[in-house]
Amino acid sequence: MRHLILATVCLGLLAACGGLGARRHTPQEFRRVEADFDQAWEAAVRTLTERGYDIRTIDRPAGIIETGWLTINPDYAATVLVTEREDRYSACGKPGLGQAFRAKEARLALALRPIRRGETGLRIEAFFRTQRYSDAPLWGNRPLGDVECNSRGRLEEELKVEVQLRALSDQLERLRRGAP
């Protein structure tokens, strides 16, 4: 019995040290898209709206597009011991003892700049967050605020490829119609 109590106290102290932080993904540099600025811009806007993002800032002369928060993983849940429905886009680490994470949201910041005829630079930065809740039986299930999560770089890469494909398909459609 004494060993069980000692093991429980040690496990409690270990878990009480706090949650584990997630590894940070550094933002990428501008990547080349094989399309004129106008085509890349339209492809980026269409890609974001079709994925369900609410565009909050759109400044074409500056080449800036920013979205609002979108729930991308409503089933995500994590406690100090168990993580359920993790996704490939971000890592949130582990919550502290008596806390839980629920759902993930993302927002995006895109920058486009013309390089030369037929080429555009595209930089995508994704920001992620989850909601932290009290998970202690005596304290109830109350919200404790948002926690930033770290990007793994996969959403940015997916979006870049999708923008490139959409821009190329638009070019092919124009060529098919005989337009320059």
Side-chain angles (χ1 to χ4, degrees), residues 10-168:
C10 288
L11 183 60
L13 288 174
L14 182 63
C17 289
L20 300 174
R23 186 183 63 190
R24 293 224 54 81
H25 169 74
T26 56
Q28 66 180 13
E29 297 299 316
F30 279 89
R31 305 275 305 270
R32 189 171 51 117
V33 173
E34 300 288 333
D36 288 328
F37 177 81
D38 292 336
Q39 293 168 330
W41 180 268
E42 293 304 320
V45 170
R46 279 190 24 219
T47 297
L48 294 174
T49 55
E50 286 182 9
R51 281 187 171 235
Y53 287 95
D54 178 30
I55 296 176
R56 297 289 171 107
T57 303
I58 191 159
D59 186 350
R60 191 176 183 123
I64 303 294
I65 304 170
E66 294 179 353
T67 71
W69 290 102
L70 174 70
T71 301
I72 61 165
N73 187 351
D75 298 325
Y76 169 75
T79 64
V80 74
L81 299 175
V82 178
T83 299
E84 297 175 6
R85 307 278 195 241
E86 183 65 88
D87 58 64
R88 64 180 188 237
Y89 296 130
S90 67
C92 299
K94 292 281 188 184
L97 185 65
Q99 298 177 1
F101 293 157
R102 294 200 189 101
K104 283 189 187 178
E105 297 178 314
R107 96 179 156 77
L108 302 166
L110 283 71
L112 289 93
R113 68 176 181 198
I115 297 174
R116 60 174 113 12
R117 182 176 163 85
E119 291 183 10
T120 302
L122 171 63
R123 183 179 66 218
I124 303 172
E125 193 169 0
F127 303 92
F128 298 92
R129 71 181 182 190
T130 185
Q131 289 74 44
R132 181 175 47 202
Y133 291 86
S134 170
D135 197 36
L138 299 176
W139 298 103
N141 192 9
R142 61 183 164 80
L144 299 174
D146 295 331
V147 174
E148 285 186 35
C149 302
N150 298 313
S151 176
R152 292 183 169 142
R154 292 179 179 158
L155 180 59
E156 295 92 330
E157 188 61 31
E158 273 184 23
L159 289 168
K160 189 259 177 201
V161 169
E162 194 171 337
V163 168
Q164 177 68 74
L165 289 173
R166 192 175 303 275
L168 287 174

